[in-house]
Structures are given as structure tokens and as C-alpha cells.
């Protein structure tokens, strides 16, 4: 072992550092550091971008969970609708929108791989509203034999429901008849949207909520497709892709009114079937 007299030249010792008394400290460690005047605004911008990032990630996970039947239609519809509203709300700020640019640019900037969320945000509606099942999501129950359902039971498990055999003539099929109030609500929403076009309410942030009400109310009445329903989805996607204050042009307005009039006629014809 080395003694103090035999320490190699490179070894540190208590006497190897001599402070330079000519240097004076220029920073008072007890003094509060003041942030630049633009610091608060910059932090708020970064917070908003972080919120958008988390919304996109959560939405992508939600879409994957719904595809795997790990979440019920009711939960999926509620959560997805809320995430889409939060996403649009975050982008309503002009500074955030300029920094965000668009979803594809944002994904490249932060190396995000979220194809399901990208498609859902492009459409602007939950999958259950675009392709509704019947009964509607608010009253649906999980399919009891779905592989990912918590109530799934193998066919031979104790207490499992017995599989019908033989003649099924006694089997009854329950159909759901839409209420008069649901039909009236869907009709009213159609008329409200068409009237908005006639009186030149053409901004995206005014028309998109009205058309969303149309498709949601229609889904509660009609089981499946009808003539013109695809045009409702088409215009929802087109409006969703516009900026908040952007207006439909004259030709777009005429086209939208024509196609939604056709969808309204198809809806009424379907009710008469």
C-alpha cells in the first residue's frame, strides 16, 4: 500500500488543489432566477402539444382495444368521442395550430406510429357511429361468447349455457322499434342542417357539430344502411379536414345541400319500408 510519501504523481491528494482567490462568484445561489417574459407562453404551447401527443397515443390504444373486443361499444363510443373533442379543442388555438402544422408532420416530428388514431382523427367520428350495430351502442351488451369477453365460457364449462339442438321453431326473435321521439329528433336534425346551408352558415366549426348530430340521431333509428347515408359520412370527413374557421365554397355548398337532401329522402324512404 502506498504511503503519503510514495503516492504516484497522478494520484489526487488533499493538497493537490489550490483555489484561485482572484476569481469572484458572479451568481448568487440564493437569488431567484427570473424566467424570460415569453417563458409562460412557451410552456403553455409545449403543454398543449404534449396533450395532443397523449391524445393520439391513447386513441390508437383505444382503437386497438376495441378491435380486440377488450372494451365495450358504450365505453369505446364515449371515450373516443371525448378524445376527438379534446383533440379539436387543443387545435382551436391559433399558436398551437401553427406549431402543430398537421397530423402527419406532427407524427414525423415526434416519431409516432399511430395508424389507427390517424384514421379515426381523419374521419372525426367513433367507429360505432360510422358503422353502427343494432341495438345502438348506448344499449348494447357484450356478446356472451366473445373470446375476449370476461363472461366467456367454454361450451363444456360448468354452468355454461346449453346449445340449442333439434327443432328451433320455438325460438323468438326480438326486434327493436325506434320510438317516435327518436324519429322526430333525426328528422329535426336533418332539417336544421339543411336550413343552416340555406341561410349561409358555412363555417366548419358550425356545420360539423350539426352534421354529427344528424348521423348520431339517424343511427338510433335506422338499422343498417340506406340510400345516401354514405354521403353523410363523406361530408363529415370533408368538414373534419377543414380548419376551424374555414368556409364551404359556393359549389361545395350546393353539392352538400344536394347530397344531404338525397340522404334525407333515403332516410324517409327507409322508414317507410
Amino acid at each position: 500500500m502506498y504511503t503519503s510519501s510514495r503516492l504516484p504523481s497522478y494520484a489526487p491528494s488533499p493538497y493537490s488543489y489550490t483555489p484561485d482567490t482572484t476569481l469572484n462568484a458572479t451568481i448568487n445561489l440564493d437569488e431567484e432566477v427570473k424566467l424570460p417574459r415569453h417563458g409562460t407562453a412557451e410552456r403553455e404551447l409545449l403543454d398543449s402539444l404534449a396533450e395532443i401527443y397523449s391524445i393520439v397515443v391513447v386513441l390508437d390504444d383505444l382503437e386497438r382495444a376495441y378491435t380486440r373486443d377488450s372494451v365495450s361499444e358504450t365505453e369505446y363510443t364515449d371515450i373516443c368521442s371525448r378524445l376527438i373533442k379534446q383533440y379539436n379543442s387543443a387545435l382551436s388555438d391559433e399558436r398551437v395550430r401553427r406549431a402543430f402544422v398537421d397530423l402527419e408532420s406532427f407524427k414525423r416530428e415526434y416519431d409516432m406510429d399511430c395508424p389507427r388514431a390517424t384514421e379515426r382523427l381523419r374521419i372525426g367520428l367513433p367507429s360505432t357511429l360510422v358503422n353502427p350495430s343494432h341495438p345502438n351502442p348506448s344499449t348494447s351488451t357484450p356478446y356472451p361468447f366473445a373470446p375476449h369477453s370476461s363472461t366467456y365460457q367454454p361450451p363444456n364449462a360448468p354452468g355454461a349455457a346449453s346449445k340449442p339442438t333439434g327443432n328451433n321453431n320455438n325460438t323468438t326473435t326480438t326486434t327493436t322499434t325506434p320510438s317516435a321521439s327518436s324519429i322526430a329528433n333525426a328528422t329535426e336534425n336533418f332539417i336544421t342542417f339543411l336550413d343552416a346551408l340555406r341561410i349561409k352558415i358555412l363555417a366548419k366549426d358550425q356545420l360539423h357539430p350539426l352534421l354529427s348530430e344528424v348521423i348520431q340521431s339517424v343511427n338510433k333509428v335506422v338499422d343498417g344502411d340506406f340510400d345516401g347515408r354514405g354521403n353523410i359520412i363523406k361530408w363529415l370527413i370533408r368538414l373534419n379536414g377543414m380548419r376551424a374557421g374555414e368556409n364551404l365554397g359556393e359549389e361545395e355548398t350546393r353539392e352538400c345541400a344536394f347530397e344531404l337532401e338525397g340522404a334525407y329522402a333515403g332516410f324517409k324512404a327507409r322508414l317507410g319500408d
Side-chain angles (χ1 to χ4, degrees), residues 171-175:
T171 302
T172 59
T173 302
T174 302
T175 58

Side-chain angles (χ1 to χ4, degrees), residues 87-196:
Y87 174 83
N88 291 328
S89 176
L91 290 176
S92 63
D93 187 293
E94 181 65 28
R95 292 184 69 248
V96 176
R97 193 161 57 247
R98 286 199 304 267
F100 178 78
V101 184
D102 57 53
L103 184 54
E104 291 301 323
S105 301
F106 187 76
K107 287 162 55 182
R108 285 194 300 268
E109 175 71 18
Y110 296 102
D111 193 23
M112 302 176 70
D113 182 22
C114 303
R116 298 172 183 83
T118 301
E119 179 64 13
R120 188 56 47 217
L121 292 172
R122 183 186 72 84
I123 296 174
L125 285 174
S127 177
T128 47
L129 298 183
V130 177
N131 301 298
S133 59
H134 200 73
N136 66 66
S138 62
T139 59
S140 63
T141 55
Y143 185 57
F145 297 105
H148 296 284
S149 173
S150 59
T151 57
Y152 171 74
Q153 292 178 316
N156 298 326
S162 59
K163 183 178 180 180
T165 57
N167 192 339
N168 292 330
N169 291 335
N170 294 328
T171 302
T172 59
T173 302
T174 302
T175 58
T176 303
T177 302
S179 64
S181 61
S182 297
I183 297 174
N185 186 46
T187 301
E188 178 184 348
N189 288 331
F190 262 116
I191 295 173
T192 300
F193 181 81
L194 292 170
D195 285 346

Side-chain angles (χ1 to χ4, degrees), residues 3 44 59 71 73 258:
T3 63
E44 289 178 352
L59 183 56
V71 60
E73 289 192 6
F258 176 77

